[in-house]
Structures are given as structure tokens and as C-alpha cells.
Amino acid sequence: MQLEQIVMSLRDEGHRITPQRIAIMDYLLHTKDHPSADQVHSVVRKRYPMTSLSTVYKTLDLLREKKLVNEIEVWGEARFDAQVDEHINLVCLNCGNIEDIDEKALKNIQAKIAKKSDYLIIKGSFEMHGYCSKCKTEFQ
Amino acid sequence: MQLEQIVMSLRDEGHRITPQRIAIMDYLLHTKDHPSADQVHSVVRKRYPMTSLSTVYKTLDLLREKKLVNEIEVWGEARFDAQVDEHINLVCLNCGNIEDIDEKALKNIQAKIAKKSDYLIIKGSFEMHGYCSKCKTEFQ
DNA sequence: TATTTATTGATAATGATTCCTATTAACAAT
DNA sequence: ATTGTTAATAGGAATCATTATCAATAAATA
Ligand SMILES: [Mn+2]
Ligand SMILES: [Mn+2]
Ligand SMILES: [Zn+2]
Ligand SMILES: [Zn+2]
């Protein structure tokens, strides 16, 4: 997804385009990190020092509503993922680094569950926890 | 797992067996709910009014360390699951109810990922979010 | 029964997130 | 280009689940 398209679709829906929103969206679109709200704030601040943490939270909310970012929780903290296609997040129990893994078998499982269960399924979230390549030696 | 076995194993490791711990373990072993710490506290209190929330938190921590309960996060709140075998938790987006689904294909996927990735995998957690049978009519 | 010390309970501290509100600024209309 | 409307922002307070602190209590063991 391109920044320009997102900007246009937001404008279409009557949202205003602000430098803060552009800065936040631009960062999310170009990082493979899965940053927390605070990390987003720190990074965006370097270029646009007038951005407040409140605004970061509200912008992330807006982007989540528009399904432009995905939100996952790690250790009681929200982490944001610009990759919105269904995938598996590998979370490092030591450093908190998150890596994406695509696994097509996921879709099959989800479809099966959706049929089997009484629930009206909206979305799935699959995480695996362990130690990343950098950390696993420390914990052998 | 039986209460008696758990009690013995805790005692073996030098932990003291208190009425509070027994009450908490007993409740978790016999419910299919996925209660929050606060819910555990409320329920246990009816039988053992001398149980504090602090103790509930500390006991849940202990049980998690011993891998006797599993912890998942829903809406920034921890929920505890006495079912520790790998399974899928269906979370209702409206009422917060959680239902278990067994899916043997999960193990295959996890094994595959463990090989494919650089991570040393410790555990997986798979959730699906939607509306339960009671709530889905309201949201059509 | 006395001793040891893990556990408890009450409450303060923490920290991520949400709420509040005066001020600012995007943008449509003039 | 200017104005008016009102969405958006900044920043500080409030919220609330969880963790930390520590004096009092009670399991375990001899
Ligand atoms: Mn991801
Ligand atoms: Mn479960
Ligand atoms: Zn790591
Ligand atoms: Zn429901």
C-alpha cells in the first residue's frame, strides 16, 4: 500500500491530512519493526518534533480501524504491524524482536475452524514465542 | 491433572501448601472459563473469604512458572487457562467469552515453523477473534 | 512447642493507555 | 486571500491492571 493511496482514502472519508499523520503512516509503511506506540513516537519525533504521544495513539487507532495496521500485544504492550496479511509473528522472549513468517497452511486451519465452531470468526492471530538468532545462544 | 498431584509436586519443590493456593488451584482445575485474576479472586472469595488479590496474582504466577496454567492476554488483561495442551482459543469480541478448540494440524504447523525459522521456539499461541453464538445475532 | 522463613494481605508504586480540554490548523466556502 | 467550521493536536490528569513493599502470619520441621 502506498502512502498516497492511504492519504486519498482518508481524505475521501472526511479525515484531515496532517503532518503528524503523514509522518506516522510513512514510518509504519517503511519499517519491518513491530514498534510500540512509544517507539513510533520516538522515531517520528526525530523528523517532526511537534508530534505528541496522544496523537500517536489516536492515529494508530484510526489506522487500525481502517485496517491499515494490525495490533498485537506483547508483555502488556501494544505493538503495531504494517503487514496486515495473515501471517505468524515470531516474538523473541528476550529482546522483544518480532519476525514475520508466512505460512499458507494457516488459511486452511482458519477456514476449518470457522466452519467447525459456533463463532462468527472475524480474524485470527497466531504467535510463536522463543528466542531469536541473536538471543538464543545466551539461553542456549 | 489432579489437585493431589499438583499439591505433592509443589510440596516436593519446597513450596508451602496454603488454603489460598488450594482454593485457587481447585477453581482453575474445575472451570472451563478463562478467568482474569480478578474473576479468580471473586470466585475463590466466596468459599475462602480470607484470600487477597495479591495472593491470587502471586499464585497464578507460580502456577504459570510450573506450567500448570497458561496465560493469554485479552484487551490488556491477563486470562488464565487450566488447559495447557496446545489448542486454539476463540475469543468473543463482544462479551470476552473464550472457548477452546482442539486442532491437531496446529502441531504440524508449529513443527514446520520451528524448522523453517531462526528462532528457538518455546511455545505457540493461536487465537481467533469473532462473536460467540450468543453475541453474533446482535452484530449479525 | 519452638524456630524458621515462605506466604499473606494491605497498600503504595508503576506504567501503558485513555480521557479531558484549551488551543491550533485543515479545508471548504466565500 | 480570508473567514468560519470543527476536526485534530498537545500535554497533563485520570484510569486501571499489575507489581513491589513490608510487617504480620502461619506452614513445615525438629
Ligand atoms: Mn508481523
Ligand atoms: Mn483455552
Ligand atoms: Zn532476541
Ligand atoms: Zn460473546
Side-chain angles (χ1 to χ4, degrees), chain B residues 15-16 18 20-21 50 52 54-55 58:
Chain B
H15 298 287
R16 294 181 183 175
T18 65
Q20 291 92 335
R21 284 182 174 170
M50 75 294 276
S52 76
S54 307
T55 296
K58 271 176 285 198

Side-chain angles (χ1 to χ4, degrees), chain B residues 34 81 83 87-89 98-100:
Chain B
H34 293 65
D81 193 350
Q83 165 89 38
H87 66 277
I88 297 169
N89 286 298
I98 299 178
E99 205 167 283
D100 290 334

Side-chain angles (χ1 to χ4, degrees), chain B residues 92 95 132 135:
Chain B
C92 178
C95 69
C132 73
C135 294

Side-chain angles (χ1 to χ4, degrees), chain A residues 91-97 130-136, chain B residues 119:
Chain A
V91 182
C92 178
L93 294 167
N94 184 236
C95 69
N97 187 55
Y131 297 102
C132 74
S133 47
K134 283 172 196 139
C135 293
K136 67 182 170 189
Chain B
Y119 276 55

Side-chain angles (χ1 to χ4, degrees), chain B:
Chain B
M1 197 96 175
Q2 289 303 311
L3 184 59
E4 267 313 310
Q5 302 173 41
I6 296 177
V7 165
M8 286 195 321
S9 82
L10 286 182
R11 211 192 299 267
D12 280 352
E13 300 180 63
H15 298 287
R16 294 181 183 175
I17 306 308
T18 65
Q20 291 92 335
R21 284 182 174 170
I22 293 193
I24 292 165
M25 291 187 293
D26 190 51
Y27 167 51
L28 286 175
L29 286 174
H30 292 97
T31 185
K32 282 180 180 172
D33 291 349
H34 293 65
S36 65
D38 210 58
Q39 284 175 273
V40 172
H41 185 224
S42 303
V43 171
V44 165
R45 232 160 205 277
K46 290 176 190 160
R47 287 170 172 257
Y48 305 85
M50 75 294 276
T51 308
S52 76
L53 185 56
S54 307
T55 296
V56 170
Y57 272 109
K58 271 176 285 198
T59 302
L60 291 171
D61 257 23
L62 178 66
L63 295 175
R64 182 169 39 76
E65 276 171 23
K66 302 297 172 205
K67 297 187 193 304
L68 297 171
V69 302
N70 195 48
E71 181 179 338
I72 65 178
E73 283 225 9
V74 178
W75 306 333
E77 192 185 47
R79 303 278 293 265
F80 297 88
D81 193 350
Q83 165 89 38
V84 290
D85 297 334
E86 213 82 70
H87 66 277
I88 297 169
N89 286 298
L90 296 184
V91 182
C92 178
L93 293 166
N94 183 236
C95 69
N97 187 55
I98 299 178
E99 205 167 283
D100 290 334
I101 290 239
D102 288 316
E103 175 52 59
K104 49 187 178 298
L106 261 191
K107 282 218 168 70
N108 303 332
I109 287 198
Q110 297 205 23
K112 197 194 288 184
I113 304 295
K115 277 188 185 171
K116 200 198 292 192
S117 84
D118 286 341
Y119 276 55
L120 170 63
I121 302 294
I122 303 296
K123 59 170 293 193
S125 90
F126 193 21
E127 285 163 32
M128 297 187 70
H129 302 256
Y131 297 101
C132 73
S133 47
K134 283 174 198 142
C135 294
K136 68 182 169 189
T137 53
E138 301 176 32
F139 293 83
Q140 198 189 20

